[in-house]
Amino acid sequence: EFIPRISRAQSMDVLSSQANIAGYRAVILASEHAPKMFPMMITAAGTIAPARVFILGAGVAGLQAIATAKRLGAIVEAYDIRPEVKEQIQSLGARFADLGGPKTDGSAEGGYARELTDEEKLKQAEAMQRYITNADCVITTAAVFGKAPPMLIPADVVAKMRPGAVIIDLAADPDAGRGNCELTEPGKRYTTETGVVIDGPTDLPSQAAVHASQVYAANMQAFLDEIVVDVKDDEGKSTGVELKLNMEDEIQVGASITHGGEVVNERVKAALEST
């Protein structure tokens, strides 16, 4: 999961392959818990309005959630602090929620979102409340590497959501004791006193175990192909394999935590120094 998110490493990106499945399953869970159907239907008994889905975070999980919710016929709105993903959101048929956004780029190294300043968090929360309280389902995916997930949905906003609304919190973190929602209980699903269903799943890919295992195996094979070489004799016949590390290669350096008796991963170093 420390492999850098660059084009050459896409085939071995475990975080992305598993997040893709989690984004899909999050929408399926939301549709199961919601008291509404997602698509618009014109029936003899009248027109059924489509459900509204709001997705926070447009990384791999968020984009797959957008695509899945659109396939089910929902009206989808989404937001991310990184300006470059606006076009990706719109290309999937969702509306980009304009919350004013940070004055500076919201991207961080490695394709992650950076942590917002306190002022940016306050402005974002105020603008976001309207989208959250207007939604039938909210799916949150916002994470900051090495830190507790940003708290985007406070308890008082949950209290303003309509009864039957659903929150699927993919950022549920057992160490933090919450997710993007203040009321999320990691690993649990419950209904609040005001009738809002909050689910904080911590292992959604296992709910699609066949394909999760398939893509994980493909990721690992692609990674091993980078560091394991076939050894051949003078006649060109294979005599086995051996590990061949290249500590100047961006992928191998990024994936290395320790080497030569020292911690070499900069993100791990920073996390250790901050504890």
Side-chain angles (χ1 to χ4, degrees), residues 247-261:
M247 296 310 290
E248 294 183 357
D249 180 83
E250 186 177 5
I251 292 175
Q252 295 188 37
V253 170
S256 298
I257 308 300
T258 64
H259 184 67

Side-chain angles (χ1 to χ4, degrees), residues 3 6 58 62 73 109 124-125 143 147-148 152 157 160 183 185 194 199 227 233 242 274:
I3 290 174
I6 58 177
E109 183 181 353
Q124 183 190 70
K147 297 184 178 181
L152 304 176
V157 173
K160 296 175 183 177
L183 299 180
E185 296 183 17
T194 55
D199 194 349
I227 62 175
D233 59 19
E242 68 178 26
S274 66

Side-chain angles (χ1 to χ4, degrees), residues 45-58:
T47 300
I48 296 174
R52 304 187 73 94
V53 177
F54 182 47
I55 296 169
L56 277 166

